[in-house]
Amino acid sequence: MKDYPSVTKQISHLTKTAFNVLKTYVTEGSIRTTKEIENSRWQICKTCQLYDSEQHRCRECGCYIQNKLEWSGDHCPLNFW
């Protein structure tokens, strides 16, 4: 099973995500997705081979899945959603 990316890569991804979330807030007025989008994302993530069900994290980017699901400016690093 793939390990998590380096801390440097995780910080880089988090920085990009924070920028995208802020940009989405400015343009759309919210940083949260709808429950429907969150649930749709969850259905994809929980079946992904890179989902770490013990840590509830994505092994591709290192993020905690719950945060990725909720933030409207975030996306799957593998472009599944």
Side-chain angles (χ1 to χ4, degrees), residues 27-66:
T27 59
E28 298 178 18
S30 177
I31 62 170
R32 300 216 36 180
T33 62
T34 65
K35 283 294 180 187
E36 292 80 20
I37 292 173
E38 185 178 335
N39 289 334
S40 174
R41 291 176 174 185
W42 173 236
Q43 295 306 311
I44 295 167
C45 288
K46 73 180 182 180
T47 61
C48 181
Q49 66 184 15
L50 295 177
Y51 171 60
D52 180 348
S53 60
E54 291 181 19
Q55 296 292 317
H56 302 290
R57 292 176 66 187
C58 173
R59 290 186 189 277
E60 182 66 23
C61 64
C63 290
Y64 287 92
I65 294 297
Q66 189 59 42

Side-chain angles (χ1 to χ4, degrees), residues 2 5 13 17 45 48 50 57-63 65 68 74-81:
K2 179 179 178 171
H13 177 76
T17 297
C45 288
C48 181
L50 295 177
R57 292 176 66 187
C58 173
R59 290 186 189 277
E60 182 66 23
C61 64
C63 290
I65 294 297
K68 292 191 78 59
D74 210 348
H75 68 280
C76 171
L78 300 172
N79 296 316
F80 290 139
W81 49 264

